Amino acid sequence: MIEPNSAIKIASSSPLAAVKGMNDILPAQVQRKERLPDSGLWLWFEDAVRKVLAAYGYQYLLTPLVEPTALFVRGLGEVTDIVEKEMYSWTDTMNGDELTLRPEATAGIVRAMVEHNALYNGPLRLWTIGAMFRHERPQKGRYRQFHQLDVEALGLPGPDVDAEIILMVRRLWHELGLVVGRHVRLELNSLGQPAERAAHRAALIAHFEAHASQLDDDARRRLHSNPLRILDNTKNPAMQPLIEAAPKLMDFLGPESLAHFNAVRAALDAVGLEYRVNPRLVRGMDYYNLTVFEWVTDQLGAQGTVCGGGRYDGLFEQLGGKPTPAIGFGLGIERLLLLIQELRLPLPDAAPTAYAVIPDAAALPRVLVLLEALRAQGVSVQMHAGGRDGPGSMKSQFRRADASGARFALVFGADEMAQGMVAVKPLRGESAAQVLRPLDDAAGWAHELRTA
Ligand code: ATP
Ligand code: MG
């Protein structure tokens, strides 16, 4: 709480701007395209998400943006990029609680499921969309507040659901016009089980210790805390030969883990979904086991991962719940929409179908009756609303009509209205001429607008 006499200085005259790395998502007319896609694209994406997720029986949930800091420290692991340096954490001055703005969604969802004993009656398939917060260096495709679609299948051991959840993402790509293989690619790996990882980890440490002089600072720091993350270091070319030569986790997997992985692969092969097994795919959180995957693109530079996920069979127990197998993924919405914008894929038209031009405010009551009747017939209409001095000139109204992107102007001229008619004037396309349509029979001609 900021007390009136507190030491915090608030400049009264300088204009206020959004926090660095946190963006406004605005309508197309005002969004600066080079920054981020407009809000229309967001809604279009959400529509596709709802449709696809419903087709697989997923249900929607919302969890808080703020969670106890301990949730992420325990859930994600202490030696992860997120917990080490990316969390927005603070102490609540009212009661001393340690709180954090969620950097990811899975831990909060698992916390909620445990708290409500939600899996009592069996497995759940869940999804949510919302803001995540990470204190990173802002750049294209990387922000401090960003948004994710987050999907979780809880209480199911796989491998069937592992394949299904990956296929669901493919269906989402299809729905959005993205072509697998051309625009996005699937990378797959298995992280095995904790004991297998421990054996691999020991071999990894031995390998890097044997070549200690070649390690960079980052690798040296991670050697005993999280050596797996050294494999993920793609930024330093000098480290690559050593990383290439490192023991592969795949060689440490026991028969059950291998069978799980092979079953996922067989299912993807059966439906013709191409993927690359990437033994270096380890993901940033500690909670993953067995299947992990990423959907990547080459079009966004260093920020190439649009969707990443995997199995986390140990997380429920880690957070105080009963052992519960689970798999999920997070999809970065800004990155995905940047990709779609960059590819210039054909997008649906979000503009209203018609724009109502109203030369004389006296016509308003009859205009409103017709517009309501058209909307009841499924036609979207934007009405010209005037200023203090009335509706404005025809010229300025038509300028607004053009700017709205509408395909038709409905012109409520006094002469036409005297005959019980409105003029329907096409705003786009060359040939079409204006026609008159009856004011009291929207149902009789609404389809001409809808299907044009
Ligand atoms: P990266 O390696 O790019 O930092 P990550 O492994 O930290 O990604 P996840 O925690 O797996 O990312 O989150 C899932 C998805 O969320 C990412 O694939 C990406 O699309 C998106 N994402 C993650 N961090 C950011 C960010 N700071 N800004 C925008 N999108 C992000
Ligand atoms: Mg990251």
Side-chain angles (χ1 to χ4, degrees), residues 20 83 149 291:
K20 196 164 175 252
V83 173
L149 162 65
T291 315

Side-chain angles (χ1 to χ4, degrees), residues 81-82 86 134 136 142 229 335:
D81 280 351
I82 292 180
E86 294 175 358
R134 296 185 193 177
E136 304 199 68
R142 192 175 291 285
R229 283 295 274 174
R335 276 189 208 177

